């Protein structure tokens, strides 16, 4: 009866947490939550980098500001948390996350703050399209760390997806000067290339760590707990970046930078606010997808959405669409298709076994 109650509440206890790659075993638990989180991840993954690049293109140059704004929108989470708290009171179910889970969110949050700074620094030297495809290599790092940390099971289809998406990023290094933005030196472009890869590897490490934190919890993980976990990670990531801003005197420079912004002072603050909201969607989506499926699936989803960011950057900012980018995009789509074909085959195989019994 306890297990049935857990399923009805859309929770995920350590005992029933699946380590398989496909999402099918959890589909009956929280499909609507999964779809909402995929949509949130899509909004954040595509919109966030475009907004940060917009900040840089028209006069913004504070790296810590661009990092800080990626998680500074965490107070927005108080709205859904309040709703979930009221619902838990009415339903008479536990709401608060256990302390060790909140401690894990604090530690992971500090690393997310570092990752945000690395990503912002890399994006200041790279076009959005190149940065997005480079960042898609996080799938390879996620797969590697998922194998080590959460003992992720792999199939030939998932291995094929990881290899293809990683090759797509390697192609971008063949002609490193082909899309170098104006005013960026060769050294800065190379630094952006390396820093972005470093940010991708750190995210690839953090995603399995989040999954591990979920599975090590002694109580069932509900979506309200996931939201509290996100609040903790984004709060401490913001603290990390706030310290960087204080050291760099960025708070005192924001007003001056806003007055000199090419699009106008009001639009400067609008860009930062929209950026904060977009990245909250991204974090809600990523942590929610891990809650519903696995860290590897979250990595595949991110790697698939990033090429869409590349296409959007080419359309909106008229960035160069080189042959290498086209091939990288094709490899990412091929890898995505391979992954889900493998997931579909795995689901059908499980269904056939269930019918035979």
């Amino acid at each position: 009866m306890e297990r049935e109650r857990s399923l009805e509440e859309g929770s995920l206890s350590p005992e029933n947490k699946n380590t398989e790659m496909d999402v099918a075993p959890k589909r009956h638990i929280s499909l609507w939550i999964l779809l909402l989180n995929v949509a949130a991840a899509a909004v954040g993954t595509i919109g966030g980098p475009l907004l940060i690049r917009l900040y840089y293109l028209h006069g913004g140059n504070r790296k810590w500001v661009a990092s800080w704004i990626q998680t500074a929108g965490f107070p927005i989470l108080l709205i859904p948390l309040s709703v979930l708290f009221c619902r838990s009171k009415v339903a008479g179910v536990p709401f608060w996350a256990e302390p060790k889970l909140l401690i894990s969110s604090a530690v992971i949050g500090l690393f997310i703050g570092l990752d945000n700074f690395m990503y912002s620094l890399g994006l200041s030297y790279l076009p959005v399209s190149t940065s997005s495809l480079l960042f898609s290599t996080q799938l390879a790092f996620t797969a590697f760390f998922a194998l080590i940390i959460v003992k992720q099971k792999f199939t030939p289809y998932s291995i094929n997806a990881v290899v293809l998406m990683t090759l797509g990023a390697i192609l971008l290094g063949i002609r490193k000067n082909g899309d170098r933005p104006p005013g960026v030196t060769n050294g800065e472009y190379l630094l952006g290339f390396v820093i972005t890869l470093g940010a991708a590897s750190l995210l690839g490490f953090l995603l399995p760590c989040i999954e591990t934190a979920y599975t090590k919890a002694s109580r069932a993980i509900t979506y309200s707990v996931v939201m509290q976990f996100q609040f903790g990670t984004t709060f401490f990531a913001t603290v990390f970046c706030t310290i960087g801003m204080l050291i760099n005197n960025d708070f005192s420079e924001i007003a001056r930078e806003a007055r000199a912004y090419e699009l106008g002072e009001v639009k400067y603050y609008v860009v930062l606010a929209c950026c904060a909201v977009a990245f909250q969607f991204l974090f809600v989506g990523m942590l929610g997808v891990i809650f519903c499926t696995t860290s590897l699936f979250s990595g595949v989803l991110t790697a698939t959405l990033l090429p869409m960011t590349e296409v959007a950057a080419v359309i909106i900012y008229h960035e160069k669409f080189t042959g290498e980018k086209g091939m990288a995009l094709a490899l990412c789509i091929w890898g995505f298709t391979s992954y889900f074909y493998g997931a579909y085959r795995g689901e059908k195989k499980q269904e056939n076994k269930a019918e035979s019994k």
Side-chain angles (χ1 to χ4, degrees):
M1 290 296 293
E2 184 65 28
R3 177 176 172 83
E4 291 178 0
R5 179 187 176 191
S6 176
L7 295 181
E8 289 172 357
E9 293 172 357
S11 64
L12 189 60
S13 65
E15 291 75 13
N16 63 20
K17 171 70 172 164
N18 184 25
T19 57
E20 295 292 334
M21 281 197 53
D22 56 280
V23 301
K26 300 186 188 70
R27 190 169 295 165
H28 66 289
I29 299 176
S30 50
L31 177 59
W32 68 274
I33 294 180
L34 175 60
L35 293 177
L36 287 175
N37 281 285
V38 168
V43 171
T45 302
I46 297 173
L50 293 174
L51 288 165
I52 288 185
R53 191 60 189 166
L54 183 64
Y55 164 78
Y56 284 131
L57 282 175
H58 296 283
N61 59 8
R62 315 301 293 188
K63 310 301 188 298
W64 280 109
V65 171
S67 308
W68 180 79
I69 205 64
Q70 292 180 45
T71 54
F74 70 89
I76 298 173
L77 298 176
L78 292 174
I79 299 174
L81 279 172
S82 299
V83 174
L84 291 171
F85 177 76
C86 293
R87 289 185 59 184
S88 68
K89 285 293 185 181
V90 174
V93 296
F95 173 79
W96 297 108
E98 56 188 295
K100 70 176 182 179
L101 197 60
L102 296 178
I103 293 173
S104 297
S105 73
V107 175
I108 291 173
L110 294 175
F111 280 104
I112 287 178
L114 174 61
D115 188 71
N116 288 347
F117 176 72
M118 294 172 66
Y119 176 74
S120 298
L121 181 61
L123 187 57
S124 68
Y125 299 131
L126 299 174
V128 175
S129 52
T130 301
S131 175
S132 297
L133 282 175
L134 278 176
F135 207 72
S136 67
T137 59
Q138 57 81 27
L139 174 60
F141 295 109
T142 301
F144 173 74
F145 288 115
L147 177 65
I148 296 175
I149 298 174
V150 298
K151 310 303 180 184
Q152 178 72 57
K153 295 181 180 180
F154 286 87
T155 68
Y157 299 101
S158 59
I159 295 174
N160 183 54
V162 171
V163 171
L164 289 173
M165 290 182 171
T166 304
L167 285 176
I170 294 175
L171 279 174
L172 296 176
I174 295 177
R175 196 177 72 181
K176 63 182 180 63
N177 295 328
D179 62 346
R180 182 162 50 88
V184 175
T185 66
N186 289 339
E188 289 174 336
Y189 187 93
L190 182 59
L191 175 63
F193 197 95
V194 173
I195 289 293
T196 302
L197 284 178
S201 65
L202 181 55
L203 180 63
F205 170 73
L206 292 176
L207 292 180
C209 288
I210 293 171
E211 182 178 355
T212 301
Y214 289 168
T215 58
K216 295 297 183 180
S218 56
R219 298 200 297 264
I221 302 294
T222 62
Y223 198 67
S224 62
V225 171
V226 174
M227 294 294 291
Q228 293 172 63
F229 189 91
Q230 182 186 343
F231 188 91
T233 56
T234 50
F235 172 79
F236 282 96
T238 304
V239 169
F240 179 90
C241 293
T242 298
I243 294 173
M245 289 182 67
L246 290 172
I247 294 174
N248 205 42
N249 296 320
D250 280 347
F251 283 107
S252 60
E253 291 293 320
I254 288 179
R256 181 197 60 78
E257 190 174 72
R259 289 192 297 269
Y261 197 61
E262 294 176 0
L263 298 180
E265 185 174 359
V266 174
K267 289 185 179 179
Y268 174 86
Y269 292 110
V270 171
V271 169
L272 293 185
C274 291
C275 188
V277 173
F279 274 99
Q280 282 306 307
F281 273 104
L282 171 59
F283 284 112
V284 166
M286 279 195 352
L287 296 185
V289 167
I290 295 174
F291 162 69
C292 295
T293 58
T294 65
S295 57
L296 183 59
F297 178 76
S298 179
V300 169
L301 178 65
T302 303
T304 304
L305 291 171
L306 285 172
M308 298 182 186
T309 308
E310 174 207 1
V311 173
V314 171
I315 295 173
I316 296 173
Y317 297 139
H318 307 290
E319 295 180 355
K320 295 180 181 178
F321 191 82
T322 63
E324 289 85 355
K325 289 182 182 179
M327 294 179 65
L329 178 61
L331 287 172
C332 284
I333 295 174
W334 184 5
F336 176 79
T337 304
S338 173
Y339 178 91
F340 276 96
Y341 178 70
Y344 171 76
R345 284 183 58 115
E347 178 187 358
K348 297 300 291 184
K349 187 175 181 179
Q350 289 182 356
E351 290 179 354
N352 291 337
K353 285 184 178 179
E355 291 176 358
S356 62
K357 291 179 182 180

